[in-house]
Amino acid sequence: MFEALDQCQIGIAGLIVMLLTCLQYENHPFVVELVKCCRTHSLASEDNGQHFRASSASTKQLEEFSLQQMAQKIEEGAPKWWSLLGSLLDHNVSGELGREKDKEGSELESEGISETFWDDVNEIDLEGMINELTREWGLCPPVKDVHTNCHSAIGLMKKMIISSILMHSLNQKSNTLQSLLGLFLQSAHMPYKVINTLAHLRISVSTDTINQAVQSLLQESQNSLQQLGQSLVASYMYDNFDVDLKHDTPTVKKSNDSLKHLTSSLMFPLVHGVTLDNLKCSEDLWRSMNVSCCNQFNSWMFLHNLCAYGLEYFHQFKAMIHSPEPVKQIPTVKMPIFAAQVMDINNSTVSGNIQAVMELLQQGRVEDPAVTLDATVSDLPDI
């Protein structure tokens, strides 16, 4: 078959296009079966779970998204289409057509380009993504298989993008992959013109849709911060960072005043079943403070560092040092962390720290009802 196509100077994709466009082959059994393979209306339906509503976007949708699961759903929903698409994109099939013509020159050139490309790509840690896309969990692949795995991963991504474009053309609400790509493009500061161009190509969603999703995520984050803050069982963290806001056109006045001092902050709940009564522990803490436990830990740390990083003579005693006895073990749990809004505050001063704490508490709606500006708010917690 491939030799016949080679003699006619046509590829598999060209053959399929010719069969689908020529009226004389309209009722041919092969064309009828081919048309059945291309029917993917069921994939674009809402029951398939690929509808992403920007106005009600949530972090749960972003966290639970899996490219592997999405590919599995498409393969199960349209196995013939998935197989046909794989045949069209298969590197080995496409390489059979021109291999006899210019085997030496083309192979050497392609190998040189491929090696240079993958050498540059290897600087990025892609092992996790490759393992996920090729369904090879466990140990990292050998160095010899890196190129093969990369080609497999890229082939799978191509199949996903083509299938998503087809699904989006059948139903505009089937836009899960496009929505996530749009959010990624905006987070990477891609120009709006580029995003809208990709939206017309059905690879991304429009900037208006992205903004709706961002607003929904912001509202969800604000509700989570307020709910956590009003529980009063939360911990707050903040730190300063600097941003250099350079002007495109420098001016004489304040030409060096481009450094902005801002404050970032986080909130996370106190886990392990901590309640408000547990936080009233100042007197008990001072009364039951065990100095001997601190001394024992300091002694153990000193001996450990001495035998591990000290003179070579002390290395022989490293095996004799046992782990310190636990006073009260706290189990390790996965703690949710919420990012608060960046504050335009310079916390390098005492007044700046006070202002940062007050504004951070306000984001959690922890305020004094007597001084709050909104007199209608009556559900503020009593602190």
Side-chain angles (χ1 to χ4, degrees):
M1 174 181 178
F2 296 119
E3 294 180 357
L5 293 176
D6 191 14
Q7 294 176 359
C8 298
Q9 296 183 356
I10 187 174
I12 297 179
L15 175 63
I16 293 177
V17 171
M18 182 182 66
L19 292 175
L20 294 176
T21 54
C22 292
L23 297 178
Q24 56 180 338
Y25 302 115
E26 183 178 2
N27 297 324
H28 194 278
F30 178 78
V31 176
V32 174
E33 186 67 22
L34 185 62
V35 172
K36 292 181 180 179
C37 294
C38 298
R39 290 178 179 175
T40 57
H41 292 80
S42 60
L43 298 178
S45 63
E46 187 176 2
D47 298 335
N48 194 38
Q50 301 302 328
H51 288 196
F52 188 91
R53 294 180 177 85
S55 58
S56 59
S58 62
T59 55
K60 184 179 180 181
Q61 291 178 286
L62 304 182
E63 294 173 352
E64 294 182 351
F65 174 78
S66 174
L67 192 64
Q68 182 182 5
Q69 294 179 0
M70 184 177 179
Q72 186 177 359
K73 285 185 178 181
I74 296 177
E75 185 177 3
E76 293 175 354
K80 294 183 178 180
W81 159 256
W82 191 258
S83 178
L84 175 62
L85 194 58
S87 300
L88 295 176
L89 296 175
D90 187 29
H91 177 72
N92 295 328
V93 174
S94 62
E96 290 287 340
L97 299 177
R99 190 170 296 173
E100 298 295 334
K101 292 184 179 180
D102 193 7
K103 182 176 181 181
E104 296 181 358
S106 61
E107 284 187 353
L108 291 176
E109 183 179 359
S110 61
E111 287 179 0
I113 296 175
S114 178
E115 290 179 359
T116 304
F117 173 76
W118 292 118
D119 289 339
D120 296 336
V121 171
N122 283 337
E123 297 180 1
I124 308 175
D125 185 13
L126 297 177
E127 292 180 352
M129 183 187 70
I130 294 171
N131 290 335
E132 179 179 358
L133 294 177
T134 57
R135 302 181 183 180
E136 294 180 4
W137 299 94
L139 298 177
C140 296
V143 178
K144 296 181 180 180
D145 298 335
V146 171
H147 291 186
T148 304
N149 292 341
C150 288
H151 283 295
S152 301
I154 290 177
L156 180 59
M157 286 188 286
K158 288 181 179 179
K159 293 166 70 174
M160 287 295 305
I161 292 175
I162 295 175
S163 300
S164 298
I165 293 175
L166 180 61
M167 292 160 55
H168 187 54
S169 62
L170 296 174
N171 191 339
Q172 292 186 355
K173 295 181 179 180
S174 180
N175 58 352
T176 299
L177 185 62
Q178 287 84 350
S179 300
L180 294 177
L181 286 176
L183 290 172
F184 169 75
L185 292 174
Q186 190 185 55
S187 65
H189 306 288
M190 187 66 65
Y192 279 5
K193 291 183 178 180
V194 177
I195 297 178
N196 288 329
T197 301
L198 295 176
H200 287 297
L201 298 175
R202 302 185 186 277
I203 299 177
S204 173
V205 292
S206 63
T207 54
D208 294 336
T209 304
I210 296 174
N211 292 332
Q212 290 181 5
V214 171
Q215 290 296 328
S216 177
L217 294 174
L218 289 176
Q219 185 63 41
E220 181 192 14
S221 177
Q222 184 179 3
N223 295 337
S224 300
L225 290 175
Q226 293 178 359
Q227 183 178 3
L228 177 59
Q230 291 189 348
S231 68
L232 299 181
V233 190
S235 183
Y236 300 83
M237 296 178 59
Y238 67 92
D239 194 9
N240 65 301
F241 70 98
D242 299 330
V243 177
D244 190 7
L245 302 175
K246 296 182 179 180
H247 301 282
D248 294 336
T249 305
T251 58
V252 178
K253 295 182 179 180
K254 297 182 180 181
S255 58
N256 297 327
D257 190 13
S258 61
L259 190 63
K260 194 71 173 177
H261 305 283
L262 305 175
T263 300
S264 61
S265 55
L266 298 174
M267 292 178 58
F268 55 90
L270 300 178
V271 292
H272 301 101
V274 177
T275 62
L276 290 177
D277 293 333
N278 298 136
L279 300 180
K280 303 174 183 179
C281 57
S282 299
E283 296 181 0
D284 295 337
L285 183 62
W286 284 104
R287 186 168 52 250
S288 61
M289 181 176 292
N290 193 345
V291 182
S292 61
C293 294
C294 299
N295 293 335
Q296 290 178 7
F297 177 78
N298 293 334
S299 301
W300 175 85
M301 181 60 68
F302 174 78
L303 292 176
H304 177 270
N305 293 337
L306 180 64
C307 298
Y309 309 107
L311 298 177
E312 187 176 356
Y313 170 78
F314 297 101
H315 292 181
Q316 58 181 326
F317 305 108
K318 184 177 180 180
M320 300 174 60
I321 302 177
H322 302 286
S323 300
E325 297 181 0
V327 179
K328 186 177 180 181
Q329 288 184 335
I330 301 176
T332 303
V333 296
K334 184 178 180 181
M335 181 183 301
I337 299 179
F338 302 92
Q341 185 178 359
V342 174
M343 297 172 285
D344 188 7
I345 298 174
N346 182 8
N347 59 20
S348 60
T349 61
V350 176
S351 60
N353 277 275
I354 296 175
Q355 187 179 359
V357 172
M358 293 180 62
E359 186 168 332
L360 183 56
L361 291 173
Q362 289 177 1
Q363 293 190 44
R365 293 192 68 185
V366 180
E367 304 177 70
D368 187 357
V371 298
T372 183
L373 297 179
D374 190 358
T376 61
V377 176
S378 60
D379 58 346
L380 294 175
D382 185 8
I383 58 175

mmCIF file with all atom_site columns, all heavy atoms in Angstrom, residues 245-258:
data_model
loop_
_atom_site.group_PDB
_atom_site.id
_atom_site.type_symbol
_atom_site.label_atom_id
_atom_site.label_alt_id
_atom_site.label_comp_id
_atom_site.label_asym_id
_atom_site.label_entity_id
_atom_site.label_seq_id
_atom_site.pdbx_PDB_ins_code
_atom_site.Cartn_x
_atom_site.Cartn_y
_atom_site.Cartn_z
_atom_site.occupancy
_atom_site.B_iso_or_equiv
_atom_site.pdbx_formal_charge
_atom_site.auth_seq_id
_atom_site.auth_comp_id
_atom_site.auth_asym_id
_atom_site.auth_atom_id
_atom_site.pdbx_PDB_model_num
ATOM 1   N N   . LEU A 1 245 ? 9.220  48.377 38.355 1.00 0.00 ? 245 LEU A N   1
ATOM 2   C CA  . LEU A 1 245 ? 8.280  48.797 37.314 1.00 0.00 ? 245 LEU A CA  1
ATOM 3   C C   . LEU A 1 245 ? 8.982  49.790 36.387 1.00 0.00 ? 245 LEU A C   1
ATOM 4   O O   . LEU A 1 245 ? 8.963  50.987 36.602 1.00 0.00 ? 245 LEU A O   1
ATOM 5   C CB  . LEU A 1 245 ? 7.038  49.428 37.954 1.00 0.00 ? 245 LEU A CB  1
ATOM 6   C CG  . LEU A 1 245 ? 6.266  48.541 38.928 1.00 0.00 ? 245 LEU A CG  1
ATOM 7   C CD1 . LEU A 1 245 ? 5.136  49.325 39.572 1.00 0.00 ? 245 LEU A CD1 1
ATOM 8   C CD2 . LEU A 1 245 ? 5.727  47.307 38.233 1.00 0.00 ? 245 LEU A CD2 1
ATOM 9   N N   . LYS A 1 246 ? 9.578  49.249 35.361 1.00 0.00 ? 246 LYS A N   1
ATOM 10  C CA  . LYS A 1 246 ? 10.328 50.095 34.425 1.00 0.00 ? 246 LYS A CA  1
ATOM 11  C C   . LYS A 1 246 ? 9.374  50.748 33.438 1.00 0.00 ? 246 LYS A C   1
ATOM 12  O O   . LYS A 1 246 ? 8.430  50.135 32.954 1.00 0.00 ? 246 LYS A O   1
ATOM 13  C CB  . LYS A 1 246 ? 11.363 49.256 33.683 1.00 0.00 ? 246 LYS A CB  1
ATOM 14  C CG  . LYS A 1 246 ? 12.443 48.669 34.598 1.00 0.00 ? 246 LYS A CG  1
ATOM 15  C CD  . LYS A 1 246 ? 13.472 47.889 33.805 1.00 0.00 ? 246 LYS A CD  1
ATOM 16  C CE  . LYS A 1 246 ? 14.547 47.330 34.721 1.00 0.00 ? 246 LYS A CE  1
ATOM 17  N NZ  . LYS A 1 246 ? 15.563 46.560 33.980 1.00 0.00 ? 246 LYS A NZ  1
ATOM 18  N N   . HIS A 1 247 ? 9.636  51.988 33.131 1.00 0.00 ? 247 HIS A N   1
ATOM 19  C CA  . HIS A 1 247 ? 8.816  52.753 32.191 1.00 0.00 ? 247 HIS A CA  1
ATOM 20  C C   . HIS A 1 247 ? 9.385  52.603 30.783 1.00 0.00 ? 247 HIS A C   1
ATOM 21  O O   . HIS A 1 247 ? 10.594 52.556 30.578 1.00 0.00 ? 247 HIS A O   1
ATOM 22  C CB  . HIS A 1 247 ? 8.772  54.228 32.583 1.00 0.00 ? 247 HIS A CB  1
ATOM 23  C CG  . HIS A 1 247 ? 8.212  54.468 33.952 1.00 0.00 ? 247 HIS A CG  1
ATOM 24  N ND1 . HIS A 1 247 ? 6.875  54.438 34.229 1.00 0.00 ? 247 HIS A ND1 1
ATOM 25  C CD2 . HIS A 1 247 ? 8.833  54.723 35.135 1.00 0.00 ? 247 HIS A CD2 1
ATOM 26  C CE1 . HIS A 1 247 ? 6.670  54.671 35.509 1.00 0.00 ? 247 HIS A CE1 1
ATOM 27  N NE2 . HIS A 1 247 ? 7.849  54.851 36.082 1.00 0.00 ? 247 HIS A NE2 1
ATOM 28  N N   . ASP A 1 248 ? 8.454  52.526 29.818 1.00 0.00 ? 248 ASP A N   1
ATOM 29  C CA  . ASP A 1 248 ? 8.900  52.456 28.428 1.00 0.00 ? 248 ASP A CA  1
ATOM 30  C C   . ASP A 1 248 ? 9.590  53.746 28.000 1.00 0.00 ? 248 ASP A C   1
ATOM 31  O O   . ASP A 1 248 ? 10.571 53.734 27.261 1.00 0.00 ? 248 ASP A O   1
ATOM 32  C CB  . ASP A 1 248 ? 7.704  52.185 27.508 1.00 0.00 ? 248 ASP A CB  1
ATOM 33  C CG  . ASP A 1 248 ? 7.108  50.813 27.763 1.00 0.00 ? 248 ASP A CG  1
ATOM 34  O OD1 . ASP A 1 248 ? 7.844  49.942 28.270 1.00 0.00 ? 248 ASP A OD1 1
ATOM 35  O OD2 . ASP A 1 248 ? 5.911  50.620 27.482 1.00 0.00 ? 248 ASP A OD2 1
ATOM 36  N N   . THR A 1 249 ? 9.065  54.868 28.486 1.00 0.00 ? 249 THR A N   1
ATOM 37  C CA  . THR A 1 249 ? 9.644  56.172 28.155 1.00 0.00 ? 249 THR A CA  1
ATOM 38  C C   . THR A 1 249 ? 10.157 56.812 29.430 1.00 0.00 ? 249 THR A C   1
ATOM 39  O O   . THR A 1 249 ? 9.369  57.233 30.280 1.00 0.00 ? 249 THR A O   1
ATOM 40  C CB  . THR A 1 249 ? 8.597  57.082 27.497 1.00 0.00 ? 249 THR A CB  1
ATOM 41  O OG1 . THR A 1 249 ? 8.042  56.417 26.355 1.00 0.00 ? 249 THR A OG1 1
ATOM 42  C CG2 . THR A 1 249 ? 9.228  58.408 27.091 1.00 0.00 ? 249 THR A CG2 1
ATOM 43  N N   . PRO A 1 250 ? 11.461 56.864 29.642 1.00 0.00 ? 250 PRO A N   1
ATOM 44  C CA  . PRO A 1 250 ? 11.999 57.454 30.873 1.00 0.00 ? 250 PRO A CA  1
ATOM 45  C C   . PRO A 1 250 ? 11.742 58.958 30.931 1.00 0.00 ? 250 PRO A C   1
ATOM 46  O O   . PRO A 1 250 ? 11.730 59.649 29.907 1.00 0.00 ? 250 PRO A O   1
ATOM 47  C CB  . PRO A 1 250 ? 13.498 57.143 30.777 1.00 0.00 ? 250 PRO A CB  1
ATOM 48  C CG  . PRO A 1 250 ? 13.764 56.962 29.319 1.00 0.00 ? 250 PRO A CG  1
ATOM 49  C CD  . PRO A 1 250 ? 12.517 56.391 28.734 1.00 0.00 ? 250 PRO A CD  1
ATOM 50  N N   . THR A 1 251 ? 11.476 59.408 32.120 1.00 0.00 ? 251 THR A N   1
ATOM 51  C CA  . THR A 1 251 ? 11.241 60.832 32.349 1.00 0.00 ? 251 THR A CA  1
ATOM 52  C C   . THR A 1 251 ? 12.306 61.387 33.284 1.00 0.00 ? 251 THR A C   1
ATOM 53  O O   . THR A 1 251 ? 12.986 60.642 34.002 1.00 0.00 ? 251 THR A O   1
ATOM 54  C CB  . THR A 1 251 ? 9.846  61.046 32.970 1.00 0.00 ? 251 THR A CB  1
ATOM 55  O OG1 . THR A 1 251 ? 9.758  60.307 34.183 1.00 0.00 ? 251 THR A OG1 1
ATOM 56  C CG2 . THR A 1 251 ? 8.752  60.572 32.019 1.00 0.00 ? 251 THR A CG2 1
ATOM 57  N N   . VAL A 1 252 ? 12.409 62.709 33.278 1.00 0.00 ? 252 VAL A N   1
ATOM 58  C CA  . VAL A 1 252 ? 13.420 63.352 34.121 1.00 0.00 ? 252 VAL A CA  1
ATOM 59  C C   . VAL A 1 252 ? 13.009 63.251 35.587 1.00 0.00 ? 252 VAL A C   1
ATOM 60  O O   . VAL A 1 252 ? 13.824 62.956 36.466 1.00 0.00 ? 252 VAL A O   1
ATOM 61  C CB  . VAL A 1 252 ? 13.593 64.824 33.701 1.00 0.00 ? 252 VAL A CB  1
ATOM 62  C CG1 . VAL A 1 252 ? 14.607 65.514 34.621 1.00 0.00 ? 252 VAL A CG1 1
ATOM 63  C CG2 . VAL A 1 252 ? 14.052 64.901 32.253 1.00 0.00 ? 252 VAL A CG2 1
ATOM 64  N N   . LYS A 1 253 ? 11.732 63.463 35.875 1.00 0.00 ? 253 LYS A N   1
ATOM 65  C CA  . LYS A 1 253 ? 11.266 63.411 37.251 1.00 0.00 ? 253 LYS A CA  1
ATOM 66  C C   . LYS A 1 253 ? 11.082 61.960 37.670 1.00 0.00 ? 253 LYS A C   1
ATOM 67  O O   . LYS A 1 253 ? 10.468 61.158 36.975 1.00 0.00 ? 253 LYS A O   1
ATOM 68  C CB  . LYS A 1 253 ? 9.928  64.153 37.380 1.00 0.00 ? 253 LYS A CB  1
ATOM 69  C CG  . LYS A 1 253 ? 10.038 65.654 37.115 1.00 0.00 ? 253 LYS A CG  1
ATOM 70  C CD  . LYS A 1 253 ? 8.697  66.323 37.320 1.00 0.00 ? 253 LYS A CD  1
ATOM 71  C CE  . LYS A 1 253 ? 8.786  67.831 37.080 1.00 0.00 ? 253 LYS A CE  1
ATOM 72  N NZ  . LYS A 1 253 ? 7.483  68.496 37.284 1.00 0.00 ? 253 LYS A NZ  1
ATOM 73  N N   . LYS A 1 254 ? 11.627 61.654 38.827 1.00 0.00 ? 254 LYS A N   1
ATOM 74  C CA  . LYS A 1 254 ? 11.509 60.326 39.433 1.00 0.00 ? 254 LYS A CA  1
ATOM 75  C C   . LYS A 1 254 ? 11.954 59.242 38.457 1.00 0.00 ? 254 LYS A C   1
ATOM 76  O O   . LYS A 1 254 ? 11.298 58.216 38.299 1.00 0.00 ? 254 LYS A O   1
ATOM 77  C CB  . LYS A 1 254 ? 10.073 60.068 39.880 1.00 0.00 ? 254 LYS A CB  1
ATOM 78  C CG  . LYS A 1 254 ? 9.584  61.017 40.953 1.00 0.00 ? 254 LYS A CG  1
ATOM 79  C CD  . LYS A 1 254 ? 8.171  60.669 41.392 1.00 0.00 ? 254 LYS A CD  1
ATOM 80  C CE  . LYS A 1 254 ? 7.685  61.624 42.467 1.00 0.00 ? 254 LYS A CE  1
ATOM 81  N NZ  . LYS A 1 254 ? 6.310  61.298 42.922 1.00 0.00 ? 254 LYS A NZ  1
ATOM 82  N N   . SER A 1 255 ? 13.087 59.474 37.797 1.00 0.00 ? 255 SER A N   1
ATOM 83  C CA  . SER A 1 255 ? 13.574 58.485 36.843 1.00 0.00 ? 255 SER A CA  1
ATOM 84  C C   . SER A 1 255 ? 14.065 57.222 37.530 1.00 0.00 ? 255 SER A C   1
ATOM 85  O O   . SER A 1 255 ? 14.081 56.149 36.940 1.00 0.00 ? 255 SER A O   1
ATOM 86  C CB  . SER A 1 255 ? 14.710 59.094 36.003 1.00 0.00 ? 255 SER A CB  1
ATOM 87  O OG  . SER A 1 255 ? 15.760 59.537 36.859 1.00 0.00 ? 255 SER A OG  1
ATOM 88  N N   . ASN A 1 256 ? 14.471 57.346 38.791 1.00 0.00 ? 256 ASN A N   1
ATOM 89  C CA  . ASN A 1 256 ? 14.965 56.182 39.539 1.00 0.00 ? 256 ASN A CA  1
ATOM 90  C C   . ASN A 1 256 ? 13.926 55.605 40.493 1.00 0.00 ? 256 ASN A C   1
ATOM 91  O O   . ASN A 1 256 ? 14.213 54.653 41.215 1.00 0.00 ? 256 ASN A O   1
ATOM 92  C CB  . ASN A 1 256 ? 16.214 56.579 40.341 1.00 0.00 ? 256 ASN A CB  1
ATOM 93  C CG  . ASN A 1 256 ? 17.359 57.001 39.433 1.00 0.00 ? 256 ASN A CG  1
ATOM 94  O OD1 . ASN A 1 256 ? 17.511 56.475 38.336 1.00 0.00 ? 256 ASN A OD1 1
ATOM 95  N ND2 . ASN A 1 256 ? 18.166 57.948 39.900 1.00 0.00 ? 256 ASN A ND2 1
ATOM 96  N N   . ASP A 1 257 ? 12.732 56.181 40.517 1.00 0.00 ? 257 ASP A N   1
ATOM 97  C CA  . ASP A 1 257 ? 11.699 55.739 41.443 1.00 0.00 ? 257 ASP A CA  1
ATOM 98  C C   . ASP A 1 257 ? 10.809 54.702 40.751 1.00 0.00 ? 257 ASP A C   1
ATOM 99  O O   . ASP A 1 257 ? 9.622  54.916 40.524 1.00 0.00 ? 257 ASP A O   1
ATOM 100 C CB  . ASP A 1 257 ? 10.872 56.931 41.916 1.00 0.00 ? 257 ASP A CB  1
ATOM 101 C CG  . ASP A 1 257 ? 9.949  56.544 43.061 1.00 0.00 ? 257 ASP A CG  1
ATOM 102 O OD1 . ASP A 1 257 ? 10.147 55.462 43.619 1.00 0.00 ? 257 ASP A OD1 1
ATOM 103 O OD2 . ASP A 1 257 ? 9.045  57.348 43.379 1.00 0.00 ? 257 ASP A OD2 1
ATOM 104 N N   . SER A 1 258 ? 11.393 53.560 40.390 1.00 0.00 ? 258 SER A N   1
ATOM 105 C CA  . SER A 1 258 ? 10.630 52.492 39.723 1.00 0.00 ? 258 SER A CA  1
ATOM 106 C C   . SER A 1 258 ? 10.526 51.235 40.583 1.00 0.00 ? 258 SER A C   1
ATOM 107 O O   . SER A 1 258 ? 9.846  50.291 40.185 1.00 0.00 ? 258 SER A O   1
ATOM 108 C CB  . SER A 1 258 ? 11.296 52.130 38.385 1.00 0.00 ? 258 SER A CB  1
ATOM 109 O OG  . SER A 1 258 ? 12.616 51.664 38.600 1.00 0.00 ? 258 SER A OG  1
#
